[in-house]
Amino acid sequence: IPRIPLDTDSCTRWLDAHYDPVANLYTFSSCIALADLHGDGENKLVVGDLGTGACNIKLKVYKGTSLVSENTLLDLPTGLVSFHMDQHEPRTPAIAVASGPFIYVYKNLRPYFKFTLPPLEVNPLEQEVWTQAKEDMIDPMSLKEMLEGIRFLMLDPQEMETYVNLHKQQPLRRQTVITCISTLKKNMAEEDAVSCLVIGAESKDIYVLDPEAFTVLSKMSLPSVPTLIDVTGQFDVEFRITVACRNGNIYILRRDSPKPKYCIELTSHPVGLVRIGKNVVVGCAQETLLSYTQKGKKLWTVYLPAPVMTMGLMDHHTRGFQAVLVGLSNCQVQLYRDKNLLNIVKTPDVVTSICFGRFGREDGSLIMTTKGGGLIVKILKRTAVFDDRDTAPGPPLAQSIRLNVPKKTKLYVDQTMRERENAVAMHRAFQMDLSRLRLASARAYVKALESSLTPMSASLSEPLKMNAVVQGLGPSFKLTLNVQNTAACRPVMNLAVSFLYDEALYSMRPSFFKIPLLVPGLNYPIDAFVECLVDKGISDIIKVFVLQQGKSAPLLTAHINMPVSEGLPLN
């Protein structure tokens, strides 16, 4: 078996159990399921294989890494689910495959039942026209003219007579097709409880089917054609059906409500739909991951690095851990809990379907199929730990926490009213104060430049930088000056350093230095020793001047605030 290219992040949490790049599995997340088909405690992988789209359309069952069963399907599958039909022992689930207008039910891997969606109501005018054609009351050309007024029958005149003679004796029917399928517990929440089938149809309808008689228990209407569906609850108690439609909206249906209760309008079309607890996570075509409450309130948005290909739920029952698996077009599968990116799994090809659950006897199995028909099986390590911290770059989590803003007080309201009434005067006063502040800052800056009070020289011919460090507790201090030439290649010569201080408080040795040469880029430390002469607990400023021969104004000036001496001077 070829080895999967490992990445350092995923290999610490996942075991690479199996990879078959030529498994010839072409499917989507809606057509893949894990089920204990024989009641022996080992879950099998059931896949609705799309084949090439015209042939090799099969229902395949894998036990471990080997293919154990194949059943040919007559049409492309749109969805596949496992469900319990009855209370008979042993408790083995059935497989329902939605294909065209039919649902094929398999029990013990054998065909068991075929359900057909009820036909839609035929246009009365069209029914009347075909009845007249059947009784030869109108000719084919008159039939075409009447049908064109209804739905524009596009046929050449020479083909009309053959078409009418072929179809006029057949009953007129209008049939819809299934677009999505899911399951809904009947009256108990246990894992092996009897479940109803929930079907979305091209006719913008949602059907809930009885699991034993396969009759329609409930029918609900939508404003658009459903494409993705998620169901929670129990049919006899309370349930919610979340449906993503082709118009880019998400609708939430509830019990005893034939029309949607809530509507979520998205900015782009949904690609994946996963429910976690009471929240719904939607992957959109604009490379975003959105979360909403079951009432349609938006919680957060995550921007993804690539378009979403598929989504799945990671529900680890033994650990009580739930997260969202998002397959991207850049050969990555990202794991999100809330808006936090917990893990990234790199794959050798683009993933088209994801399924997490119990496979064989391993609870934490991740099954993926790729765009090239490959099959990937990974197992979550028992020692794997997912941190709640976000591994993606960006702002910290605390930034998204809402502040507890207090309620508006009467003082706040009065202040708001005063600001509204005196907005012009307040703005002019603010601009006046701002102008004064700018003027004072500019004057102080010019004064600092003129008196060389800045720590860096403003002269282009002698670019210098200086800082000072005072060491000691007193009465003796060590004063270190660091002088540096910041020029690129030109040295500075004939410099002198002089100190100005209160001779009644301090004595310095030496108080004057000469620096014959400053090489660019080097730091020149100059040490001077300061002695405090009084014990009154006072201190003063020592001024440092960097001078150049032939110039009266200093190049640099520094004011050093001396600390208070903690010792007593020696007499």
Side-chain angles (χ1 to χ4, degrees):
I1 300 173
R3 292 182 59 84
I4 304 177
L6 297 179
D7 59 286
T8 56
D9 186 38
S10 64
C11 67
T12 58
R13 298 182 176 93
W14 301 93
L15 295 173
D16 301 305
H18 177 67
Y19 174 44
D20 183 5
V22 291
N24 291 326
L25 282 179
Y26 303 94
T27 187
F28 302 108
S29 296
S30 60
C31 297
I32 187 170
L34 292 168
D36 184 7
L37 299 178
H38 300 100
D40 54 1
E42 289 194 10
N43 281 19
K44 283 40 170 214
L45 175 63
V46 186
V47 180
D49 188 7
L50 304 179
T52 61
C55 59
N56 295 328
I57 306 173
K58 295 181 180 181
L59 178 66
K60 296 182 179 180
V61 179
Y62 283 84
K63 180 180 180 181
T65 59
S66 58
L67 181 65
V68 296
S69 175
E70 278 187 345
N71 286 277
T72 302
L73 299 176
L74 300 179
D75 201 354
L76 289 173
T78 56
L80 180 151
V81 293
S82 66
F83 71 108
H84 287 84
M85 300 172 52
D86 47 45
Q87 298 285 352
H88 298 163
E89 295 292 340
R91 305 286 292 141
T92 57
I95 300 297
V97 182
S99 180
F102 308 110
I103 295 179
Y104 301 97
V105 180
Y106 293 83
K107 190 87 172 194
N108 296 323
L109 299 181
R110 295 183 179 180
Y112 177 80
F113 185 77
K114 175 184 174 183
F115 171 80
T116 306
L117 283 178
L120 303 178
E121 183 180 354
V122 181
N123 190 312
L125 180 58
E126 185 179 3
Q127 180 73 48
E128 178 65 26
V129 169
W130 280 103
T131 301
Q132 295 180 12
K134 181 179 179 180
E135 297 173 357
D136 296 328
M137 297 176 62
I138 56 174
D139 58 2
M141 293 306 298
S142 300
L143 174 65
K144 179 182 178 182
E145 292 177 359
M146 298 178 72
L147 290 178
E148 282 179 347
I150 304 174
R151 58 184 62 196
F152 297 96
L153 184 63
M154 302 299 293
L155 285 177
D156 295 331
Q158 58 269 22
E159 298 176 358
M160 275 299 305
E161 186 172 357
T162 305
Y163 179 83
V164 172
N165 293 332
L166 180 63
H167 294 91
K168 68 180 181 180
Q169 301 297 332
Q170 299 177 2
L172 188 62
R173 298 182 61 187
R174 183 179 166 214
Q175 189 67 59
T176 185
V177 294
I178 300 172
T179 58
C180 52
I181 185 171
S182 185
T183 59
L184 171 64
K185 301 295 183 182
K186 185 74 166 60
N187 48 29
M188 292 187 294
E190 283 76 8
E191 187 176 352
D192 59 349
V194 176
S195 300
C196 305
L197 293 179
V198 182
I199 301 167
E202 188 76 25
S203 58
K204 306 178 185 179
D205 294 322
I206 297 291
Y207 297 92
V208 181
L209 304 183
D210 183 84
E212 295 181 343
F214 288 97
T215 56
V216 178
L217 297 177
S218 178
K219 179 183 177 182
M220 290 161 277
S221 300
L222 293 169
S224 182
V225 179
T227 56
L228 303 169
I229 188 169
D230 184 272
V231 185
T232 183
Q234 302 168 33
F235 179 78
D236 292 340
V237 184
E238 180 63 39
F239 63 86
R240 292 177 186 268
I241 302 177
T242 307
V243 186
C245 296
R246 284 188 191 155
N247 62 354
N249 294 342
I250 294 177
Y251 300 97
I252 300 175
L253 300 159
R254 298 182 62 180
R255 177 180 170 83
D256 300 328
S257 177
K259 293 186 178 181
K261 182 73 173 178
Y262 303 103
C263 174
I264 302 173
E265 296 184 0
L266 303 175
T267 56
S268 61
H269 282 75
V271 181
L273 176 68
V274 174
R275 173 184 289 274
I276 293 188
K278 294 184 178 181
N279 298 333
V280 178
V281 181
V282 187
C284 294
Q286 287 183 343
E287 303 179 12
T288 54
L289 196 66
L290 310 173
S291 177
Y292 294 89
T293 65
Q294 56 189 4
K295 291 186 177 181
K297 182 180 179 181
K298 187 176 180 180
L299 297 177
W300 47 261
T301 302
V302 172
Y303 295 94
L304 302 172
V308 179
M309 298 298 294
T310 184
M311 290 177 60
L313 174 64
M314 178 178 175
D315 189 1
H316 205 299
H317 297 286
T318 57
R319 298 190 183 187
F321 179 83
Q322 284 189 331
V324 178
L325 292 160
V326 184
L328 305 178
S329 62
N330 61 351
C331 300
Q332 286 185 0
V333 176
Q334 297 188 350
L335 180 66
Y336 286 91
R337 187 174 185 180
D338 292 332
K339 64 183 298 186
N340 301 327
L341 175 61
L342 303 184
N343 188 226
I344 298 177
V345 179
K346 295 182 180 179
T347 56
D349 194 4
V350 178
V351 171
T352 56
S353 70
I354 297 178
C355 183
F356 182 89
R358 183 182 178 88
F359 185 31
R361 296 188 181 275
E362 287 291 339
D363 290 328
S365 298
L366 177 61
I367 295 97
M368 299 173 284
T369 63
T370 63
K371 189 175 181 180
L375 174 64
I376 302 173
V377 180
K378 288 179 178 287
I379 299 176
L380 183 67
K381 290 183 179 179
R382 290 178 174 84
T383 58
V385 177
F386 294 104
D387 298 329
D388 281 338
R389 63 182 179 87
D390 194 356
T391 59
L397 293 177
Q399 184 172 321
S400 62
I401 299 176
R402 292 187 176 182
L403 298 177
N404 187 15
V405 181
K407 294 183 179 180
K408 296 179 181 179
T409 61
K410 186 177 183 301
L411 178 61
Y412 174 82
V413 175
D414 294 342
Q415 194 75 3
T416 304
M417 295 299 297
R418 187 183 72 84
E419 291 178 359
R420 288 181 180 176
E421 294 171 357
N422 304 288
V424 176
M426 293 176 68
H427 179 70
R428 288 175 179 173
F430 170 76
Q431 292 295 330
M432 178 64 71
D433 293 341
L434 181 61
S435 300
R436 289 175 178 173
L437 178 62
R438 289 173 175 171
L439 179 60
S441 301
R443 287 175 175 173
Y445 181 65
V446 171
K447 182 179 179 182
L449 291 178
E450 290 178 348
S451 57
S452 300
L453 292 176
T454 58
M456 297 185 66
S457 174
S459 174
L460 297 178
S461 58
E462 293 86 13
L464 303 177
K465 182 173 70 173
M466 179 180 64
N467 57 45
V469 178
V470 180
Q471 295 175 319
L473 299 176
S476 298
F477 299 95
K478 181 181 178 181
L479 180 60
T480 303
L481 299 178
N482 296 301
V483 183
Q484 185 179 358
N485 180 9
T486 59
C489 59
R490 186 174 64 254
V492 179
M493 296 181 291
N494 300 325
L495 296 181
V497 178
S498 176
F499 298 92
L500 180 62
Y501 56 92
D502 188 352
E503 295 182 356
L505 291 178
Y506 300 107
S507 66
M508 294 190 65
R509 60 181 198 278
S511 60
F512 183 81
F513 295 93
K514 281 191 176 182
I515 305 176
L517 179 67
L518 280 182
V519 179
L522 294 182
N523 186 30
Y524 289 83
I526 300 173
D527 296 332
F529 295 92
V530 182
E531 190 77 24
C532 182
L533 303 178
V534 296
D535 58 351
K536 297 180 181 179
I538 59 175
S539 62
D540 197 8
I541 296 175
I542 295 179
K543 298 180 180 181
V544 184
F545 302 98
V546 178
L547 310 169
Q548 191 173 32
Q549 185 177 358
K551 291 186 178 181
S552 60
L555 298 178
L556 284 178
T557 302
H559 291 187
I560 302 172
N561 293 313
M562 295 297 295
V564 177
S565 176
E566 297 183 7
L568 297 176
L570 296 176
N571 295 326

